[in-house]
Amino acid sequence: MDVALLSRLQFALTIMVHYIFPPLTIGMGVVLVYLDGMWLRTRDPVYGQAARFWTRIFALNFAIGVATGIVMEFQFGTNWATYSRFVGDVFGSALAAEGIFAFFLESGFLAILVFGWDRVGPRMHFFATCMVALGSIFSSIWIVVANSWQQTPAGHHVVPVLRDGVPWIVNGVPVLRAEIVDFWAMVFNPSSVHRLLHVWVGCFIMGSFFVMSISAWYVLRGRHRAFAERSFRGALALATLASLGALVTGHGNAEMVYRHQPAKLAAFEAHFRTGPADMSVVGWPDPATESMRFDLAIPGGLSFLVHGSFDAPVVGLDRFRPQDRPPVVPAYVSYHLMISLGVGFIGLTLLGCFFLWRGTLFEQRWLLWIFVVAVLGAAVANQAGWVAAEVGRQPWIVYPPVAWAGNDVVTGPAGTVVYDEAVGLRTANAISPSVASAQVLGSILMFGFVYLLLLAVWLYVLNEKIQHGPVPVPEAPPAGAEGVVAAAAARLEHRDSLTGTEPETVGRRA
């Protein structure tokens, strides 16, 4: 098999497994701040119980997320040496900033968050919770900045790599690299803010639906209801805001993509010919005939999305040479899967809010069962978003800019866009020339086994924690019970301590 295809499959395998966990920890971090903050403010033991339980789940997700993410950085050096050489100056600064400002912050306070319940005061613990949540968000900023620079490069120039003071030539072609000339222009490249906002709302959806899934399961089983209902309410508020936010940020993203990567948006919508464009709701693109099968579309919808007019022309795939077009089918399917699930999240969360307002949410067992399984949809939506973004920029790993003349892109004599190959980098040219396909295939099998093992461990430990449930809340002694009676009641609550295995309770630190 083609070594470039195998290298892409290997990276897709590792990042898709890894990308289960960053959205979980970023989203859960916000839920933890809410629960720990409510515990600090009200001293209600149920909030303390909820904060402790979700902290343990957060720590598990964080640990597996770190383990699954280590491999990817090695792949840059093994399978993608040419790419690493080209983007090294840009990625070096972004990933260093991620390590300094995010990972150290996140990891440094994680120990206090997990083990500090009985060792630091409530305010210090709440501060640690905020720092861990902030560190998760900081981490996402620098990773998205680095990725966005590949989509819409800015703040750099491309220079030849020198060896002994002269340009390095390989197979008659000079080796090039991108060099930063304006750090903040690189950070705030045209797609960074749009993509970051959309990634954040995706993370909040993932984390909140994860919390609602487990909480709904407890309610359906009649276990830990007070804890589960409070956890569900907080997560539902976050999920509702994030689902509506995804609609707004998604619209901004689509406009940005059209301006800077028009071929990508054309592939998302299977828009083959330049002109007024409908917005496809469902269908199946046929690149061979450049048409849609079983198409159901909103007339003029795509024109309205990017121009605010139902009959304005939209640049289609016919403005790009076949070798410069993204794969249409995977781009279309992943993009529409993400949008369909996003619309479903809006309907589901608003329905949950309606029943919560009526005070009957936790009596709607059919709805709670939907919330139990909806976390799978949140995971699929996040994965589909990444697939759409990464497949849509092909065949470029570093996308060269396009120029506009009014509402149409600037084209060459043949009527198609002529990219400046010197400022971009094709994916096929980014691989390591010395790596053989058999080596990449062997490593895919090895990584596949290791990642399956990690997922099995995660699911086993997660199930154990869910089955065990939160730490019981100690009941207050009966009114008027003091002295010997109160002491006896307290001893009964902690009767296992007689064996030296005193159970942990959430009221201890108060």
Side-chain angles (χ1 to χ4, degrees), residues 236 239-241 243-244 343-356 367 371:
L236 178 61
T240 306
L241 293 174
S243 299
L244 294 170
V343 173
F345 298 151
I346 293 174
L348 187 58
T349 53
L350 289 179
L351 192 59
C353 289
F354 171 73
F355 284 115
L356 183 64
L367 184 60
F371 274 109

Side-chain angles (χ1 to χ4, degrees), residues 480-501:
E482 298 178 351
V484 175
V485 176
R491 173 57 61 191
L492 286 173
E493 290 292 339
H494 299 82
R495 55 185 180 277
D496 287 346
S497 65
L498 295 171
T499 65
T501 56

Side-chain angles (χ1 to χ4, degrees), residues 108-262:
F109 284 95
L110 185 65
I112 299 176
L113 171 64
V114 178
F115 303 111
W117 287 99
D118 303 315
R119 295 175 175 81
V120 300
R123 289 184 177 81
M124 181 62 202
H125 193 273
F126 177 67
F127 179 73
T129 305
C130 293
M131 291 302 101
V132 170
L134 199 59
S136 301
I137 291 174
F138 275 175
S139 180
S140 68
I141 291 174
W142 294 106
I143 296 298
V144 171
V145 163
N147 186 274
S148 296
W149 180 86
Q150 299 175 124
Q151 309 270 352
T152 55
H156 74 290
H157 63 185
V158 177
V159 296
V161 176
L162 302 181
R163 279 198 166 185
D164 300 325
V166 297
W168 182 18
I169 307 295
V170 176
N171 297 326
V173 179
V175 179
L176 304 174
R177 70 182 180 90
E179 186 177 79
I180 296 176
V181 295
D182 186 339
F183 178 76
W184 293 112
M186 182 275 290
V187 171
F188 292 102
N189 66 74
S191 64
S192 283
V193 174
H194 290 285
R195 301 182 78 242
L196 188 58
L197 293 175
H198 202 53
V199 166
W200 279 346
V201 295
C203 294
F204 298 153
I205 287 172
M206 181 71 198
S208 54
F209 270 84
F210 180 80
V211 171
M212 286 192 293
S213 173
I214 297 173
S215 301
W217 186 80
Y218 280 137
V219 173
L220 288 166
R221 295 294 179 187
R223 298 174 56 189
H224 318 298
R225 283 204 58 140
F227 147 81
E229 290 181 5
R230 293 195 187 185
S231 298
F232 193 100
R233 288 192 191 100
L236 178 61
L238 178 62
T240 306
L241 293 174
S243 299
L244 294 170
L247 191 65
V248 177
T249 59
H251 176 72
N253 245 334
E255 290 181 322
M256 178 276 298
V257 167
Y258 180 65
R259 191 65 188 169
H260 297 281
Q261 298 171 295

Side-chain angles (χ1 to χ4, degrees), residues 22 24-33 36 54-63 66 98 101-116 124-140 204:
L24 263 181
T25 52
I26 292 171
M28 286 189 69
V30 176
V31 177
L32 282 180
V33 168
D36 209 3
W54 294 115
T55 295
R56 291 172 178 171
I57 303 289
F58 175 92
L60 170 66
N61 294 336
F62 181 86
V66 171
E98 193 258 347
F101 297 111
F103 190 72
F104 284 162
L105 185 67
E106 194 175 17
S107 304
F109 284 95
L110 185 65
I112 299 176
L113 171 64
V114 178
F115 303 111
M124 181 62 202
H125 193 273
F126 177 67
F127 179 73
T129 305
C130 293
M131 291 302 101
V132 170
L134 199 59
S136 301
I137 291 174
F138 275 175
S139 180
S140 68
F204 298 153

